[in-house]
């Protein structure tokens, strides 16, 4: 049981560093977003992420541990990729740049979903229901953010099927006059 508790604390330290890195990265993603709804989504998630840091600090307090971050190499890599996406997006049209940002953001969300899901299971297993509840709230917000990003990508993808006013034919059935 001590080893599982140690694993939980280790995971929480990793998540704390991940969220702290994300607090610094999200304003850059919001600034790079060209679609107003995407920009708003990043700004909203920044506020949520600040709350995630607070929840993690509460979890450490419940466990009687110091809220100390451990370097999270996974998030560091994802944020570096996100920065590349922002830089490369400067050369892309608005739709492509925003779709690339969404892809980078969803990679982050999936990483966080995995981390919070694992930590929640560990908290439940070692009999820390208050910690598990905190982690469940954050997990739900991460899943909602991922869903919202998917929802935002759909109209952008539809818009991307049109290039210079001409519809890309393989994305829509041909009319009767086009078949002849």
């Amino acid at each position: 049981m001590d080893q599982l508790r140690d694993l939980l604390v280790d995971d929480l330290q990793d998540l704390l560093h991940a969220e702290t890195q994300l607090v610094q990265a999200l304003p850059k993603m919001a600034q790079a977003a060209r679609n107003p709804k995407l920009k708003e989504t990043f700004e909203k998630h920044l506020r949520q992420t600040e709350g995630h840091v607070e929840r993690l600090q509460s979890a450490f307090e419940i466990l009687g541990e110091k809220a100390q971050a451990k370097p999270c190499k996974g998030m560091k890599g994802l944020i570096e990729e996100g920065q590349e996406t922002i830089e490369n997006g400067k050369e892309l049209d608005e739709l492509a740049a925003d779709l690339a940002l969404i892809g980078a953001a969803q990679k982050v969300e999936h990483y966080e979903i995995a981390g919070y899901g694992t930590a929640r299971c560990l908290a439940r297993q070692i009999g820390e229901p208050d910690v598990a509840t905190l982690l469940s709230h954050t997990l739900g917000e991460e899943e909602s953010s991922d869903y919202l990003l998917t929802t935002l990508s759909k109209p952008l993808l539809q818009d991307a099927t049109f290039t210079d006013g001409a519809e890309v034919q393989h994305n829509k059935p041909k009319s009767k006059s086009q078949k002849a």
Side-chain angles (χ1 to χ4, degrees), residues 25-144:
L26 279 166
K28 295 172 188 171
M29 294 186 82
Q31 184 178 5
R34 298 176 187 162
N35 179 287
K37 288 182 182 179
L38 181 57
K39 184 179 291 288
E40 181 183 317
T41 297
F42 287 141
E43 290 167 351
K44 177 184 175 190
H45 197 57
L46 172 60
R47 292 186 298 276
Q48 282 183 329
T49 301
E50 291 166 341
H52 300 167
V53 170
E54 291 173 13
R55 279 194 202 121
L56 286 166
Q57 290 169 339
S58 296
F60 281 112
E61 191 174 303
I62 291 168
L63 293 170
E65 296 284 338
K66 183 179 177 186
Q68 184 174 341
K70 174 188 101 173
C72 178
K73 295 174 187 172
M75 184 62 77
K76 182 180 180 194
L78 289 170
I79 288 175
E80 286 173 1
E81 283 186 23
Q83 187 59 44
E84 286 178 20
T85 300
I86 290 170
E87 291 302 316
N88 293 339
K90 293 175 183 176
E91 304 297 321
L92 301 175
D93 65 43
E94 289 184 18
L95 288 172
D98 282 347
L99 285 166
L101 279 174
I102 289 171
Q106 285 192 291
K107 288 177 184 178
V108 168
E109 293 308 320
H110 293 188
Y111 182 83
E112 291 178 304
I113 288 166
Y116 281 104
T118 299
R120 181 189 61 184
C121 288
L122 285 169
R124 285 179 177 163
Q125 185 64 32
I126 66 169
E128 291 290 349
D130 293 339
V131 173
T133 298
L134 289 171
L135 297 171
S136 288
H137 287 302
T138 302
L139 178 59
E141 288 177 357
E142 300 294 6
E143 291 169 337
S144 292

